[in-house]
Amino acid sequence: MITVFFTLFALFNPISDPDPLFKAQIIDANIAIGYGLAIGDVDGDKKPDILLADKNEFVWYRNGDWKRFVMIENLTASDNVCLAARDIDGDGKVEVAVGAQWNPGETSDDMASGSVHYLIRPEDPTKKWTAIKLHHEPTVHRMHWVRTADNNYQLVVLPLHGRGNSNGEGKGVKVFAYQMPNNPTEPWKLSLIDQTMHLTHNFDMVDAAASEQMYISGKEGIKVFTYQNQNWITPDTGIISGYSFGEVRVGQIDDKRFVTGVESMHGNELTVYLPGSNQRIVLTDELNQGHALATEDFLNSGIDQIVVGWRKANANQEIGIKIFVATDSQGTRWKSHWVDKNGMACEDLKVADLNGDGKMDIIAAGRDSHNLKIYWGK
């Protein structure tokens, strides 16, 4: 296990003026692709573990020694692509769903494209888990457990394309919510949330009263969905339209929300839409296949910072992860700093406090760099 120390930035910021450090630790230098990450307590020791959707395996890394355990392997003929992990029953251990059979070029044949499975944990979670096959659409791409009410969650699954689509044209993407029964081997109730968007790539959740809101990004922009009266509802138009999005995350400026995204899908621009006016600010156009995004106030400044990763070398022959910090109290000016320069071809990243020290950490998986890293917040 290799540990590298480096200074992220010596920051001048009128809001806050610390000198934050991250400590980069390589957890695994031999992942195949690292399609997707999730964070949650797998073994019930009250410490968040790392879960990874790799090419042919769904695995988890135990917090502390970071030992790697295979949950299930070779689930489908094609690659794995995503997973969702969250404690939805209050027992202190995450429930896990996974998506596989990644074949984005096949949008019609659901036998050849897409899969959704729920994984039943064994008594010892370091042993192999059992997969329960659920309904799916072709090109399953992202999934999350979303809170719909107190003590109630649904699995929301987002395909990349609508059924039979070609080049983002045709039928809309069917976004389904899955309600797990008391016995997960019995049929799950399905609810169609939306079928109006095309090339939907990712989504984020934020707290909203009794439930969570979902922000879904795609070809037409970003739409917000709220759970009310046992249904998912949305305005007729997206909150942001006229631009095509891949990644989307929601951040905070004091008690208000801003939206940040990678434009377009696998795009080169990182943008921010400020609260109230939805003023669009381009933070950088130097990404190449931007594919990972998170917001968090690492500096306790009152404005979330934005962490973005990309997976292909840009015009400067650079890959990696950058953090963007607002330099005014309205979020109209931002400054960038490297988190990892040329050591991470970033496919996905998450933010969590892994060691309970009150400082948030960054967890990232690299596609062509074939690595999994923790950047410890110092």
Side-chain angles (χ1 to χ4, degrees):
M1 192 174 292
I2 302 168
T3 302
V4 180
F5 293 88
F6 65 94
T7 301
L8 173 59
F9 51 80
L11 176 67
F12 173 73
N13 179 2
I15 300 171
S16 179
D17 192 17
D19 184 20
L21 300 173
F22 281 81
K23 180 178 72 172
Q25 180 177 354
I26 298 175
I27 300 301
D28 192 338
N30 295 292
I31 67 172
I33 291 180
Y35 279 105
L37 287 164
I39 308 296
D41 189 350
V42 177
D43 54 4
D45 65 355
K46 297 181 171 57
K47 295 187 290 186
D49 306 298
I50 299 172
L51 298 91
L52 177 70
D54 209 0
K55 180 178 174 64
N56 298 314
E57 298 174 323
F58 290 100
V59 303
W60 69 281
Y61 299 81
R62 185 168 59 198
N63 192 319
D65 60 7
W66 303 113
K67 186 174 180 180
R68 179 181 185 272
F69 300 100
V70 176
M71 304 170 76
I72 199 160
E73 57 190 335
N74 300 319
L75 183 60
T76 58
S78 297
D79 290 4
N80 303 325
V81 68
C82 61
L83 77 169
R86 191 168 185 176
D87 178 12
I88 68 170
D89 61 7
D91 68 350
K93 294 174 283 190
V94 293
E95 280 66 48
V96 180
V98 299
Q101 194 75 333
W102 179 233
N103 185 8
E106 174 53 68
T107 64
S108 298
D109 185 353
D110 58 13
M111 295 296 292
S113 178
S115 81
V116 176
H117 289 80
Y118 176 72
L119 300 188
I120 296 179
R121 68 170 53 243
E123 184 175 347
D124 178 356
T126 67
K127 307 301 183 184
K128 295 293 180 64
W129 296 41
T130 303
I132 301 298
K133 187 175 182 180
L134 306 177
H135 169 84
H136 74 272
E137 293 294 303
T139 71
V140 167
H141 184 245
R142 289 291 181 264
M143 57 174 57
H144 289 295
W145 295 105
V146 184
R147 182 169 56 83
T148 59
D150 292 339
N151 302 316
N152 191 36
Y153 295 82
Q154 292 181 344
L155 177 69
V156 178
V157 178
L158 190 69
L160 186 70
H161 294 283
R163 188 181 286 261
N165 270 16
S166 177
N167 297 318
E169 300 292 335
K171 295 180 179 178
V173 173
K174 286 186 176 180
V175 184
F176 276 113
Y178 297 63
Q179 185 70 54
M180 184 169 69
N182 291 330
N183 180 353
T185 64
E186 296 179 353
W188 293 43
K189 180 182 177 182
L190 284 181
S191 302
L192 181 63
I193 296 175
D194 188 65
Q195 196 180 352
T196 65
M197 302 180 71
H198 299 78
L199 280 173
T200 48
H201 191 260
N202 213 330
F203 62 114
D204 195 19
M205 300 95 66
V206 296
D207 283 329
S211 67
E212 291 175 329
Q213 286 184 323
M214 293 190 300
Y215 287 64
I216 298 181
S217 62
K219 178 182 176 181
E220 288 86 2
I222 296 171
K223 293 184 72 173
V224 179
F225 296 82
T226 302
Y227 193 79
Q228 293 182 5
N229 300 321
Q230 300 187 343
N231 288 294
W232 289 98
I233 62 171
T234 184
D236 292 336
T237 58
I239 61 163
I240 297 171
S241 59
Y243 296 95
S244 176
F245 286 80
E247 304 303 312
V248 60
R249 295 293 183 271
V250 181
Q252 292 286 131
I253 298 180
D254 296 321
D255 61 346
K256 298 179 181 178
R257 292 174 180 163
F258 67 82
V259 176
T260 181
V262 172
E263 302 179 30
S264 54
M265 191 175 78
H266 300 169
N268 66 309
E269 290 186 334
L270 175 66
T271 58
V272 166
Y273 292 78
L274 296 182
S277 64
N278 270 347
Q279 177 186 352
R280 180 178 185 265
I281 300 173
V282 179
L283 302 188
T284 183
D285 61 0
E286 295 183 349
L287 310 178
N288 186 3
Q289 294 198 22
H291 210 264
L293 193 61
T295 58
E296 181 62 50
D297 190 1
F298 296 90
L299 305 176
N300 295 316
S301 66
I303 301 180
D304 283 356
Q305 292 81 60
I306 301 168
V307 184
V308 65
W310 65 101
R311 62 189 190 183
K312 292 293 184 181
N314 61 17
N316 297 320
Q317 297 304 301
E318 297 167 341
I319 57 170
I321 301 172
K322 280 190 172 184
I323 187 169
F324 286 77
V325 182
T327 59
D328 66 14
S329 59
Q330 292 77 42
T332 60
R333 296 192 301 272
W334 298 73
K335 186 176 181 180
S336 68
H337 311 270
W338 283 102
V339 175
D340 192 324
K341 185 176 183 180
N342 293 328
M344 171 60 62
C346 196
E347 181 77 5
D348 195 16
L349 64 83
K350 294 288 185 285
V351 173
D353 181 3
L354 293 179
N355 58 2
D357 66 354
K359 300 178 179 66
M360 301 302 286
D361 314 303
I362 301 168
I363 305 95
R367 187 181 183 93
D368 291 340
S369 53
H370 304 292
N371 51 2
L372 174 66
K373 288 185 179 182
I374 301 171
Y375 304 90
W376 296 99
K378 308 303 290 185

